[in-house]
Amino acid sequence: MRGLIASPLRAWSGDAPLGQVFWGYGVFVSALLITAFIGALYRNDIWIQEALLLAFLAYTVWILTAIWRCSEAGTSVWHMIARLLTFTWAANTLLVAGFLQLNLLETALGL
């Protein structure tokens, strides 16, 4: 159990390698959550979509914080790019999640 928790905790505290956090936790896990959301979208399962949207938002806060903290240690161009990408990632997530939430509300209210 300790091995499963160690890496995410290291990422959260900024002690994990930036590449592992960015690609492994950021891109790969986010893609899994998006794939699950698309599956719920095709099944027209509104409650699962809502749960996944909330999970994705919470996960995005976690991963962007972890990426920011992991990029503090380095001074390479990749660390600066990672920090710039956190802003665009956050903005994109807020816009997409906002429009998806509006669509879910519209569907739930039958509009």
Side-chain angles (χ1 to χ4, degrees):
M1 183 70 158
R2 179 177 255 205
L4 293 174
I5 298 173
S7 291
L9 290 177
R10 284 186 60 220
W12 177 255
S13 65
D15 295 328
L18 178 60
Q20 177 188 11
V21 175
F22 186 90
W23 293 105
Y25 293 119
V27 175
F28 182 70
V29 175
S30 294
L32 290 176
L33 287 169
I34 291 167
T35 302
F37 183 86
I38 290 170
L41 184 66
Y42 279 110
R43 289 188 312 273
N44 201 25
D45 194 341
I46 295 172
W47 295 110
I48 298 296
Q49 290 177 51
E50 184 67 33
L52 286 168
L53 188 58
L54 291 173
F56 184 72
L57 286 171
Y59 184 76
T60 298
V61 169
W62 178 83
I63 191 58
L64 292 181
T65 303
I67 289 171
W68 189 269
R69 289 177 177 174
C70 288
S71 68
E72 285 179 346
T75 57
S76 74
V77 69
W78 297 112
H79 289 84
M80 291 187 301
I81 289 172
R83 284 200 160 189
L84 288 173
L85 287 174
T86 58
F87 286 111
T88 57
W89 192 336
N92 181 55
T93 299
L94 288 175
L95 288 171
V96 170
F99 285 115
L100 288 172
Q101 184 61 55
L102 288 174
N103 187 43
L104 285 171
L105 284 171
E106 181 181 304
T107 304
L109 297 174
L111 300 175

